[in-house]
Amino acid sequence: MTERSRRGVGSVREKGVGAARSAGARLSPNGWRRVRLWGLLGVCVLVVVGGVALFTPVLSVRTVDIDGVVAVPEQQVRDLLEIPSGRSMLRIDTTAIARRVASIPKVRTARVQRVFPSTVRVTVVERVPVLFFDSPQGAHLLDAESVEFAIEDAPIGVPKLITDRPASDAPVTRAAVGVLAALPPALAVQVDEVAARSISDISLNLKDGRTVLWGGMNDAARKSAVVLPLLTRPGTVFDVSSPNLVTVK
């Protein structure tokens, strides 16, 4: 591009900026007052709309949907919502509500959502028992995270933990839960008892009377791969604690 061309482009830009400045300078005082008036009017409209949404029944909560409750009574969840009648959707604290619902021992997670114009949806994920241990108070139910969440009759099919000092936070209990989580589903449904003498000495007593010596949580993938074919052999004790040297008795 020649120097003359560059000067031409610069000249066009300068003229455009100058024209804009001239237009602004030519705006009369009455014109500026109209601009300010319309701006103020827009702000007032926003304030009114916000006030209507926050403090009138236009966006008030009319319906509460609760999903995912089976073991937890639905009324127990509703009692913890604490949503006053006529409260605006915009004024409910979904985080605080979810925290209150999640405080129920049998609830693993809780999610609260606004579904406009007038519905609050509460989605609950309950804790599922995978193991239990007995005490004078009853059966202590443990979930897949080794969290004790109830003392009540154990559901049919949930294995029993047998160990000297059972407790949800005991390393041996956590190891037993970890072993159960690593089992192939076809074996997990056969387990009646989990005998845990230590974190590295865990056995599975099956419903048909056979026993699987599992060992610890190490090499879980390899043990899971060899245990089912091994169980097709005749025998009563199947040792996969050393998965590279399995035995049957």
Side-chain angles (χ1 to χ4, degrees):
M1 182 181 290
T2 65
E3 184 63 28
R4 182 177 180 180
S5 299
R6 286 196 295 270
R7 285 199 301 270
V9 172
S11 176
V12 170
R13 290 177 179 172
E14 290 171 3
K15 288 179 181 178
V17 173
R21 290 174 179 172
S22 297
R26 287 197 300 270
L27 192 61
S28 67
N30 288 336
W32 281 114
R33 281 196 292 272
R34 284 195 296 271
V35 170
R36 288 195 294 269
L37 180 61
W38 281 108
L40 180 60
L41 182 60
V43 172
C44 291
V45 170
L46 290 177
V47 171
V48 170
V49 171
V52 168
L54 286 171
F55 301 107
T56 70
V58 174
L59 288 180
S60 63
V61 178
R62 293 182 175 85
T63 306
V64 176
D65 291 338
I66 299 176
D67 299 324
V69 292
V70 179
V72 178
E74 183 175 316
Q75 189 58 48
Q76 185 179 8
V77 175
R78 290 188 181 276
D79 291 343
L80 291 174
L81 299 182
E82 299 178 9
I83 301 176
S85 177
R87 174 63 61 90
S88 168
M89 292 277 286
L90 301 179
R91 294 178 62 200
I92 63 173
D93 189 337
T94 56
T95 300
I97 294 174
R99 190 180 298 117
R100 290 196 296 272
V101 175
S103 68
I104 299 174
K106 290 186 178 182
V107 172
R108 183 171 177 267
T109 63
R111 183 183 183 189
V112 179
Q113 299 168 281
R114 300 181 184 90
V115 182
F116 290 98
S118 59
T119 299
V120 173
R121 178 174 297 146
V122 182
T123 304
V124 171
V125 177
E126 296 182 339
R127 296 189 183 276
V128 177
V130 299
L131 193 63
F132 78 93
F133 62 86
D134 276 331
S135 78
Q137 292 76 35
H140 297 244
L141 305 186
L142 306 173
D143 72 355
E145 298 172 339
S146 193
V147 174
E148 180 183 330
F149 62 90
I151 301 177
E152 61 187 32
D153 292 340
I156 296 174
V158 176
K160 179 180 179 179
L161 173 64
I162 301 175
T163 189
D164 289 340
R165 293 180 178 84
S168 61
D169 57 350
V172 68
T173 300
R174 293 184 176 276
V177 171
V179 166
L180 278 177
L183 297 182
L187 175 58
V189 298
Q190 301 181 52
V191 178
D192 186 49
E193 296 176 338
V194 179
R197 298 173 185 82
S198 70
I199 61 173
S200 58
D201 186 2
I202 297 174
S203 302
L204 311 172
N205 298 328
L206 306 187
K207 296 174 183 178
D208 61 8
R210 294 183 295 173
T211 299
V212 176
L213 305 181
W214 190 268
M217 296 175 61
N218 59 306
D219 294 327
R222 178 62 180 155
K223 293 174 183 179
S224 296
V226 302
V227 67
L228 291 178
L230 191 67
L231 285 170
T232 62
R233 301 181 186 178
T236 57
V237 179
F238 302 80
D239 189 347
V240 297
S241 57
S242 297
N244 295 322
L245 185 61
V246 298
T247 61
V248 180
K249 298 180 182 178

